[in-house]
Amino acid sequence: MKLNDEEKAMLAGETGEPRRWAVEHMMEVGRMFDAADFVPVAQAHMMADTESLGEAGVAFLEGLAAHPETERRVAVPMLTDPRGVDLSHYRPLGQTEEMADLERRTIAACTALGILMTDSCVTYQTIMPPVRGEHVAYGDTGVVIYCNSVLGARSNFEGGPSALAAGLTGRTPRYGLHLDRNRRATRRFIVSERPEGLTDWGVLGGLIGRLCGSYWEVPVLEGIEGAPTSDEMKHFGAAMASFGSTPLFHIAGVTPEAPDLESVCDGPPPEPVEIGREDLEGLRGNFGASGDEVDVVVFAAPQLSHVEMARVADLLEDCHVHERTALIVCTSPTVAADCERLGIVGRIEAAGAVVLRGTCFYNQYAREIGEANGWTRLLSNSVKIVNILGGYGYRPALASMEDCVTAAVTGRVP
Amino acid sequence: MTLRLRCHPGIGPRVEGEALVAEDDFSARYDLDRLAGTFSRPGHKLAGLSYVDRVLVLNTAKGGVASAWMLREMTERGLAPKAILFNAANTILAQGAAFAGMALCDRFEDGDITRLIATGDHVIVDPPVGLVTVLERAAER
């Protein structure tokens, strides 16, 4: 990789060990993907939940945080993804003091590094959406796919260490989605039936992700007339990224890089694949609800927007969560604060549900809290979360937000 | 008979070990019980099997960014694979391998790596060179 003088100085350790490590780490990754040089980034966003970090990751962050302030502070605005523990509500979930201590250590280290602890996977809805063409280094696949596709920003999936390296240096290796050639459509889908509701958008996203099946495929969709909502795009992208490791999609006539099909194709467009109701039912069937009792209903992955929070509160009006069922709602601290002010959190909690701030269910020790509470039968409207949690000892099922609330209230899948 | 498989130069050190192969995809978050060192996702073709000290051979990486932290944690606890070979890695697994010091290679010249190597084969993975050598076939023992 070609380095400029500033990058050479960082690699030589002239600006401190944290930045030396960062450049060395990014060069190793950059060489794997044939990056020619670095590209400056305007923002970084890091997944650093303690379940993923473990003791090894936390100790690494603490090691960086022990350096002098001028050497350890991030060089560009850097945000965080959801945390592993909501310190205001962890004992009732069965999370341990050991988990909470790991969380406190992580927060202290990140704060010392100058990271803004936004604890959110919906930063594009709540904090600072990137601008079209802006190079960024984001963690959380849902954030990346939304910002690449809906906003036209440029980011690879950045795991925690690489996002941190980008934050410390203000740059990232120029490969993958930073390059025009990797943003062109390689797969083409014609959607015959527009999804209705967040779950159906998630099902469509999951299906396309599964069909693409690789980070390096870029799908373009036709047949979607008119712009979906931000929350619909959120569930669509998050599910696609979850099923396929897909970081970018285009919708002809909707997303900014695809005013029409030809704009995202080099030469003749790829052969089209039609997606109809049967295809969607096929994926949905993998997560079919059985009519059995439900242990826990989860709204998360991605964290809920203001609009979703208000809808959950409306659906719970004059209802109460069943005594043998838990209803958990995960949102960002920003949304939670607003929704407290608006009385929305109070209405949800009055119905017996739990609102968690700054976490997301699947990255907060889902296996351990499942075992602590005896939860196996889980219902959610998030295609992403039902895709993930099978490996965590749950029997997850998928239902609309409305049916999820009914299940939470009656204790059974409707 | 020794089989030499060329690939794109990868990440991490030269290692030697026994292969564990499936045509499935991979995520440390989605598929593993990292405390037990086994594949835990019921639908995964390697469900129930230990990945510890094996050379994992899988199709591609899927899902979220958590694997980047997790590979180092798994390595430091001594419950990690020796290497991972993919047809196509994603950015996360490459970043995670770099952070963990784990061997990782992808883009094999001779085709689908999950069909070129079988479970139980004894292999050498040499990421700096971009070469995987099958020393001994499980089927020939």
Side-chain angles (χ1 to χ4, degrees), chain A residues 207-237:
Chain A
L207 180 64
I208 290 173
R210 176 183 283 174
L211 291 170
C212 286
S214 164
Y215 186 84
W216 307 100
E217 300 285 353
V218 179
V220 57
L221 275 70
E222 296 173 275
I224 303 294
E225 301 296 332
T229 67
S230 175
D231 282 333
E232 288 170 344
M233 285 291 210
K234 176 171 81 171
H235 280 264
F236 176 66

Side-chain angles (χ1 to χ4, degrees), chain A residues 233-284:
Chain A
M233 285 291 210
K234 176 171 81 171
H235 280 264
F236 176 66
M240 191 186 301
S242 173
F243 272 81
S245 191
T246 310
L248 168 67
F249 63 83
H250 303 295
I251 302 178
V254 174
T255 56
E257 293 178 33
D260 50 43
L261 178 65
E262 290 70 26
S263 298
V264 288
C265 297
D266 291 325
E271 283 298 308
V273 174
E274 296 202 11
I275 294 181
R277 179 184 292 268
E278 281 186 10
D279 303 298
L280 299 175
E281 291 304 321
L283 186 136
R284 189 195 302 275

